[in-house]
């Protein structure tokens, strides 16, 4: 250190104090402290000399006797401070008070604005008597009166009782938290809960709403409170107290979020465990999603449907897959949601125990193409008796006339997600009056919708595109419908005159 220092000019330190003991004591301290450095020290006992030395000698560090104030000819810390602020040479100012048990304040121009430098005079260890006295003066007049006036050194308004502010802001935070929470739950973010699995989900959502309300309040209350209570009042031209770093605050804002995250992951894992709880007597339902509909197969009963029937209070084990792209099975009242992925190895399980009778909607919660928004089909939560009756009716389907079987097949295969039965135009042409009609094709030709045409349109839909419609019909029906089902569906279309 001393080697590199030797190439540089000596450090210059000016000690400004009218008290010889103070000055010599500091000089000794400086010499001991920087024994390895080359330091030149000068002492000025009065203002005139100090200013002259300051200007001509240009010290790196100025040590000012903070207590030496008021007597004629003595050291004026305000004057030094003023010069320090106005100058642009690198220099540090150190204020040392013996009265306040050796308190030291170091000023560095880089980290300081003029108004902060004024604040610096408002040191916390100022004797109370001086503070009270100076507060009675008009502050703006005091500031305008110039740095040499004795009142320059007087402290500014002290907003004491910071504990009081914390208590008030804390109470306001609690009140605003409760109000925000009540507002959030009054919006009705969630529909009624209709499954056992909704319990843990709602519990977590509720906790999250509390946290949202609290964090919102914490931020807005403290900002609002500060804006109102600590606003700049008439005649105030100074900045707030400057401080850098707060270990206590940093510890708090590290530990609390850490604890919150750990706590939330624990609660989240617990909720997930509850949602996935396995009931060994669960009824399996194979769910196949496709563009754009759902097929539900009950393997234990040999029944297939496009409407999901679930007996109440019995866990259903849904095994989800997709015939084409990624879909997502979601019934908001049941809360839980699961993607349906294409591929035999990617069958996903979802457990739902409905506990409220009624009809809800299955929705697709994954953008999956043109009719994604219409991929809604009913789900009916029924009593066990109703469920049995429905199963019975489904298994007797073979005895029905072909057009009725066709209607069921069309339902179960999702045809009716795109083709209406009442003349309304959806993504595909309506089936009402389709049979035997003349169809305008995209290439300008026309064709009669006879059985042959209908068959071709089902198994190879892109061969002849109906004018005005996009070629979006899945080309998978040849594989997924049996020959008999195709004939039944044609019979059904023919019956819609
Ligand atoms: Cu299927 Cu969106």
């Amino acid at each position: 250190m001393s080697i590199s220092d030797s190439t540089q000019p000596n450090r210059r330190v000016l000690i400004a104090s009218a008290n010889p003991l103070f000055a010599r004591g500091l000089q000794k301290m400086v010499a001991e402290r920087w024994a390895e450095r080359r330091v030149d020290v000068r002492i000025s006992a009065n203002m005139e000399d100090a200013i002259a030395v300051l200007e001509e000698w240009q010290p790196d560090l100025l040590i000012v006797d903070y207590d030496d104030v008021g007597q004629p000819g003595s050291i004026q810390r305000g004057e030094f401070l003023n010069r320090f602020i106005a100058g642009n040479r690198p220099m540090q100012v150190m204020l040392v008070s013996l009265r306040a048990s050796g308190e030291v304040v170091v000023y560095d121009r880089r980290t300081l604005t003029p108004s902060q430098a004024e604040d610096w005079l408002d040191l916390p260890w100022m004797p109370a008597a001086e503070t009270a006295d100076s507060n009675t003066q008009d502050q703006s007049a005091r500031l305008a009166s110039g740095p040499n006036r004795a009142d320059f050194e007087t402290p500014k308004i002290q907003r004491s009782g910071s504990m009081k502010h914390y208590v008030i802001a804390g109470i306001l935070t609690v009140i605003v938290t409760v109000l925000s929470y009540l507002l959030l739950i009054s919006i009705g973010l969630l529909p009624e809960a209709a499954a056992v699995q909704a319990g843990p989900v709602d519990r977590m959502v509720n906790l999250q709403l509390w946290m949202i309300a609290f964090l919102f309040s914490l931020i807005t209350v403290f900002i609002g409170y500060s804006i109102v209570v600590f606003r700049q009042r008439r005649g105030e031209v100074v900045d707030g107290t400057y401080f850098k770093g707060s270990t206590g605050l940093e510890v708090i804002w590290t530990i609390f979020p850490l604890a919150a995250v750990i706590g939330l992951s624990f609660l989240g894992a617990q909720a997930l465990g509850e949602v996935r709880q396995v009931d060994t007597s669960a009824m399996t339902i194979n769910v196949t999603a496709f563009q754009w509909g759902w097929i539900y197969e009950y393997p234990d009963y040999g029944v297939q449907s496009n409407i999901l029937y679930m007996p109440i209070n019995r866990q259903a084990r849904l095994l989800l897959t997709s015939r084409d792209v990624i879909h997502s099975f979601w019934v908001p009242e049941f809360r839980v949601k699961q993607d349906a992925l294409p591929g035999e190895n990617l069958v996903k399980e979802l457990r739902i125990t409905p506990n409220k009778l009624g009809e809800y909607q299955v929705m697709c919660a994954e953008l999956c193409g043109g009719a994604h928004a219409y991929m809604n089909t009913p789900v009916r939560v029924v009593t066990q008796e109703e469920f049995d009756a429905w199963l019975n009716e489904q298994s007797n389907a073979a005895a029905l006339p072909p057009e009725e079987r066709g209607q069921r097949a069309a339902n179960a295969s999702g045809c009716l997600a795109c083709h209406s039965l009442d003349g309304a135009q959806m993504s595909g042409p309506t089936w009402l009056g389709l049979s035997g009609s003349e169809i305008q094709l995209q290439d300008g030709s026309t064709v009669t919708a006879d059985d042959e045409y209908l068959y071709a349109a089902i198994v190879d839909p892109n061969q002849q595109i109906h004018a005005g419609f996009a070629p979006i019909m899945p080309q998978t029906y040849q594989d997924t419908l049996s020959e008999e089902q195709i004939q039944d569906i044609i019979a059904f279309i023919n019956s819609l005159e």
Side-chain angles (χ1 to χ4, degrees), residues 289-294 324-328 363-369 371-373 375:
F290 61 93
Q291 286 170 317
W292 287 273
W294 305 91
D324 34 54
V325 299
I326 299 175
H327 302 270
S328 183
M363 302 186 178
C364 176
E366 186 72 52
L367 185 61
C368 56
H372 155 74
M375 219 172 133

